[in-house]
Amino acid sequence: MATWQFSESAGAYQEAVRQDVKRQAAISEDVRSVYASEAPFAFRTAIAEARAARLLPLKGEGRLAASEYALAAQTAFHLRRAAASDSLLGNNRYRHEDLGYDLPRRLADLQRDAPKLYGLDPDASLRAGDRWAARGRACVALGVAAVLTAMGAACVLRPSGLRHPAPAGRRVLRSLEIIPQPATAPHGRRRAVLLHLLVFVLPMLLPLGQILAAGGEQRALAEASRKGVQLSASIGAQGQLAAFVTESLRTAQVADLTATARELAALDTESTAEEAEHERKMAAVEGVLAVHVQKIAEYMGRAPTAQDRVDAETVTALRKQPGGQADALAEQRHQVDLAERAGRRSLLLSAAAALAFVAEILSVATTTVRSRSWRWWPAAGAMASVGLTAAAVL
């Protein structure tokens, strides 16, 4: 029964890992889709729209402003037109009046469209596995209690009716002893039978400990796998967001440098006074645009929050916390260490059980031969088994 229950708990733990893999894969894919595939074009469109809006008053004052305005307006128009209707640029649902596009809202909508993936609850599966493991531990405790009870009963005299010869004509098994019973053994052989009883109990108790150790190993491995999957997804998601933010801020810096270059162009001695004035106006527009591009970058590159209705795990994955990834990595290593210790404990208990079986065979042989000199062999096997058990527990 305990073996079956721990098998069910292991299945639930593995199901939790499978669900976490699916969920984290969905998070990674949606973050990649928004911040790596759609966001760069949306950012370029937002810049082109802002540039066209600020050049509109100047386009009638000079060829340069008119050309730059047409370039920005056509770029924004064609980027929006080429976008799919259900994409970030394909409708006005995510468009901000002045700051580009709402990326967290787009991410939340993608996640809402995949309820089967984001509705998975790995923690619930893990708790189900813990409940099965708790039942298994209860069965192990009952098994240990039953073995110890049988051991205690073997040391008590049987009822008087079983200690006398059977009535004539009736066949009764009176000498059959499935469990060695020191209490009914002849006075001179009670120590040998008691040793046999102790050796007999070991192969019954040690497999129960092995089951417990294996159950603990399964849970630790499941937790380590989940932490690894979550950590990998978090690193990937933060990398996608950071790459977009870095490129956006770099674009804002380039816009600021462009404004400075316009100022230098206005000072070119080969330019006419009218061209120089036009260049200075363009430089002023470029300077204002550089500040605005940085605001767009900050708005579009902000990390999602719970108010954006983004999945809670995604919010956690994208939020940069001091030492967050280090703590997660430390927890994963801790779970791996727990799994290794549980596996080592299970291996030692297996070896102890094997020695206990050998000692039981030797004990049967000693009881059959009734030789005092043979008692050292099962005793040595039992001591070695107990030593391995102690090493496993400690």
Side-chain angles (χ1 to χ4, degrees):
M1 179 63 74
T3 302
W4 171 68
Q5 289 171 335
F6 275 107
S7 176
E8 291 293 323
S9 72
Y13 293 148
Q14 292 305 312
E15 179 62 23
V17 174
R18 286 191 291 268
Q19 289 179 353
D20 232 331
V21 169
K22 292 180 181 178
R23 211 172 191 282
Q24 298 301 326
I27 291 174
S28 298
E29 176 58 25
D30 287 340
V31 169
R32 184 205 62 78
S33 176
V34 172
Y35 289 96
S37 297
E38 296 185 331
F41 290 100
F43 183 67
R44 289 180 61 185
T45 303
I47 294 177
E49 291 173 342
R51 187 175 182 83
R54 280 164 175 74
L55 290 175
L56 180 60
L58 294 180
K59 72 172 186 174
E61 297 184 12
R63 176 63 184 155
L64 179 60
S67 176
E68 291 290 336
Y69 166 79
L71 179 62
Q74 288 298 315
T75 299
F77 172 75
H78 286 290
L79 283 175
R80 287 196 305 269
R81 185 176 181 181
S85 59
D86 59 346
S87 66
L88 180 64
L89 285 174
N91 56 71
N92 293 326
R93 175 180 176 81
Y94 310 106
R95 191 173 182 178
H96 188 275
E97 181 180 357
D98 197 41
L99 295 175
Y101 293 83
D102 192 341
L103 300 185
R105 186 178 181 183
R106 171 62 175 167
L107 180 59
D109 286 348
L110 286 179
Q111 294 180 334
R112 188 188 60 212
D113 293 338
K116 291 184 178 180
L117 291 175
Y118 289 95
L120 295 174
D121 192 354
D123 290 331
S125 297
L126 193 71
R127 290 191 295 270
D130 289 340
R131 288 193 294 270
W132 279 110
R135 295 169 190 156
R137 287 192 292 270
C139 285
V140 168
L142 289 175
V144 171
V147 171
L148 294 179
T149 300
M151 181 179 176
C155 297
V156 179
L157 287 175
R158 290 177 290 182
S160 59
L162 297 179
R163 284 184 272 138
H164 296 291
R170 296 179 59 185
R171 300 178 62 187
V172 180
L173 293 176
R174 298 191 180 279
S175 61
L176 179 63
E177 291 186 351
I178 299 176
I179 300 177
Q181 300 183 40
T184 61
H187 182 73
R189 299 188 61 250
R190 287 184 180 178
R191 290 184 179 179
V193 177
L194 179 59
L195 174 61
H196 187 190
L197 176 62
L198 295 175
V199 174
F200 176 83
V201 168
L202 286 176
M204 302 182 69
L205 291 179
L206 291 177
L208 298 177
Q210 187 181 357
I211 292 173
L212 287 176
E217 182 183 14
Q218 287 292 329
R219 193 188 192 286
L221 286 175
E223 276 288 83
S225 298
R226 291 187 61 206
K227 293 297 181 183
V229 170
Q230 293 170 4
L231 184 61
S232 177
S234 177
I235 293 174
Q238 287 187 17
Q240 298 286 357
L241 176 59
F244 171 73
V245 172
T246 301
E247 186 62 28
S248 300
L249 293 177
R250 185 178 292 116
T251 302
Q253 293 175 351
V254 171
D256 186 55
L257 293 175
T258 302
T260 303
R262 293 290 186 193
E263 287 285 354
L264 295 175
L267 298 176
D268 193 339
T269 55
E270 295 183 1
S271 301
T272 64
E274 183 178 356
E275 290 174 342
E277 179 64 22
H278 189 60
E279 289 281 359
R280 280 192 292 270
K281 290 182 179 180
M282 283 290 296
V285 170
E286 296 282 4
V288 174
L289 182 62
V291 175
H292 188 63
V293 169
Q294 184 166 358
K295 291 180 180 180
I296 294 175
E298 292 172 353
Y299 174 76
M300 294 183 64
R302 74 189 191 281
T305 63
Q307 287 71 25
D308 296 311
R309 298 183 179 180
V310 175
D311 172 66
E313 287 193 28
T314 308
V315 172
T316 303
L318 290 174
R319 184 174 61 241
K320 288 187 176 181
Q321 299 175 333
Q325 292 182 355
D327 292 341
L329 184 59
E331 177 62 22
Q332 185 201 20
R333 290 175 177 172
H334 174 65
Q335 293 297 332
V336 171
D337 290 340
L338 290 179
E340 288 180 351
R341 287 199 291 269
R344 191 181 304 113
R345 187 178 300 116
S346 178
L347 181 62
L348 289 174
L349 289 174
S350 297
L355 284 175
F357 279 114
V358 173
E360 167 62 13
I361 295 173
L362 293 175
S363 182
V364 171
T366 301
T367 304
T368 303
V369 175
R370 298 185 179 184
S371 173
R372 290 178 177 271
S373 62
W374 283 36
R375 294 180 187 177
W376 293 106
W377 295 104
M383 290 177 62
S385 178
V386 171
L388 288 176
T389 303
V393 173
L394 300 177

